[in-house]
Amino acid sequence: MENIQVVPSMRASRAWLESLRLRTLPLAFASIINGSALAYWLGRIDLKVALLTLLTTSLLQILSNLANDYGDALKGSDTTERIGPLRGMQKGAISIDQMRGALVLMVLLTLFSGIALIVLACDNLQDVMVFIGLGALAIVAAIAYTVGKKPYGYRGLGDISVMIFFGLLGVSGSQYLQTHSFHNITLLPAMACGLLAAAVLNVNNMRDIDTDRQHGKYTLATRLGAINARRYHALLLSGALFCFGLFAFLAQTGPAGWLFLLASPLLYRQARHILLETSTVAMRPMLEKTVKTALLSNLLFATGLVLS
């Protein structure tokens, strides 16, 4: 903890807002929006379930953000040397005990919202047990990303986790809770959503690749190296477009189902920029741009699906 600098003048509210990282919530929203659009396309949407799923997912994301700050602060991974912004705990504006209390509160709120969702949406014991298990797994995954002796985020497994929870489970799970049916074809947009979320994480990790390596945080970007991490990023973006396109083709959604292609020029320019810019500093503005582009791609897909 010797790297944490105390800033007494920093307002506590601002410190907490920084640690909550509310700008990451659109990625959580995107998976539920896509899942709900799929439910509508399948002919059975439940707005109450959709809204409660959105709330639960948002609480999970905030829990993950706070746990990320807590784990990185204890391990000294976030220092003044990193290119990305320091959060409240790293600046010394939030104490260890305060963050622990916030984590407990977020776990309780997430549990309450998740249980309410299961009670509202599940109509048989098997579904209840499955989603209780998935909910517990999601909470553990949110905390274990950077917390513990062997956090999986420090071992290059964060991308897989993001693809699963922001993609497969987020999209297909929210669709299933509303329709009570599963269709293999819905895995394609779920995977696309997950790939776009992984692209956001990859930009973040490329930005911090040097300091992460110095502090033993071996993200996938660190393991791949600067050049291969950029190639991997291009594959994530192109893979998302391919999955959306394959779904539109197989599901025969019509012209409206291809609305997501309007985002392809932005995805291309982003991939080209990241491939050409080799400095870590160049990645800093790309994080926000990647979030916005990923959200736009998902919203266009969901809109096209509803219109089709």
Side-chain angles (χ1 to χ4, degrees):
M1 296 292 292
E2 66 272 8
N3 290 319
I4 296 180
Q5 298 182 353
V6 178
V7 184
S9 62
M10 185 178 185
R11 293 176 55 190
S13 58
R14 179 181 175 185
W16 282 109
L17 283 174
E18 288 177 344
S19 290
L20 291 175
R21 307 187 199 184
L22 298 181
R23 291 183 179 181
T24 63
L25 292 183
L27 290 178
F29 296 163
S31 62
I32 309 306
I33 290 172
N34 271 356
S36 299
L38 285 167
Y40 180 85
W41 179 70
L42 291 168
R44 186 179 177 182
I45 187 172
D46 190 322
L47 292 179
K48 291 182 179 179
V49 172
L51 290 174
L52 194 49
T53 307
L54 192 66
L55 174 62
T56 305
T57 304
S58 300
L59 291 173
L60 274 170
Q61 180 60 45
I62 293 174
L63 171 62
S64 177
N65 292 341
L66 294 179
N68 194 339
D69 283 7
Y70 177 75
D72 283 343
L74 291 183
K75 292 175 175 61
S77 301
D78 288 350
T79 69
T80 54
E81 297 175 357
R82 73 191 295 264
I83 297 173
L86 295 180
R87 309 297 175 184
M89 197 172 178
Q90 285 77 33
K91 292 179 178 179
I94 300 174
S95 69
I96 295 176
D97 289 339
Q98 287 175 323
M99 185 58 78
R100 285 174 178 166
L103 288 173
V104 171
L105 176 62
M106 289 309 305
V107 169
L108 292 176
L109 289 174
T110 304
L111 283 172
F112 179 80
S113 180
I115 291 172
L117 174 61
I118 290 172
V119 171
L120 177 65
C122 297
D123 55 6
N124 61 75
L125 182 60
Q126 181 178 347
D127 283 355
V128 169
M129 298 306 295
V130 168
F131 279 95
I132 285 178
L134 291 175
L137 181 62
I139 291 175
V140 171
I143 297 173
Y145 181 72
T146 59
V147 177
K149 293 182 179 179
K150 294 182 179 180
Y152 66 88
Y154 280 58
R155 306 176 73 180
L157 300 175
D159 296 61
I160 295 177
S161 176
V162 164
M163 289 182 194
I164 292 174
F165 289 102
F166 283 88
L168 298 177
L169 289 182
V171 176
S172 297
S174 59
Q175 174 258 306
Y176 181 87
L177 285 171
Q178 296 178 63
T179 63
H180 300 287
S181 61
F182 176 76
H183 305 269
N184 289 332
I185 196 172
T186 61
L187 292 176
L188 288 169
M191 180 57 70
C193 190
L195 290 171
L196 290 170
V200 173
L201 178 62
N202 189 54
V203 169
N204 181 79
N205 291 339
M206 284 193 293
R207 181 195 63 191
D208 299 329
I209 192 171
D210 292 331
T211 53
D212 282 349
R213 185 183 295 111
Q214 292 171 8
H215 294 88
K217 187 175 182 179
Y218 293 103
T219 62
L220 185 57
T222 303
R223 293 181 181 277
L224 289 174
I227 300 301
N228 286 330
R230 283 161 171 73
R231 294 169 179 166
Y232 165 65
H233 190 84
L235 286 175
L236 290 173
L237 298 181
S238 57
L241 281 177
F242 174 78
C243 289
F244 279 145
L246 186 58
F247 173 85
F249 174 75
L250 295 177
Q252 298 181 347
T253 56
W258 294 89
L259 193 62
F260 66 90
L261 287 177
L262 293 176
S264 57
L266 295 176
L267 293 171
Y268 170 76
R269 284 201 294 268
Q270 183 183 126
R272 186 174 183 273
H273 176 84
I274 287 177
L275 285 171
L276 294 177
E277 295 291 336
T278 57
S279 69
T280 54
V281 176
M283 295 301 102
R284 185 170 187 174
M286 293 308 298
L287 181 59
E288 183 177 352
K289 291 181 180 180
T290 306
V291 172
K292 291 179 178 179
T293 306
L295 180 61
L296 176 63
S297 302
N298 282 301
L299 288 177
L300 285 173
F301 171 78
T303 302
L305 196 60
V306 171
L307 292 176
S308 68

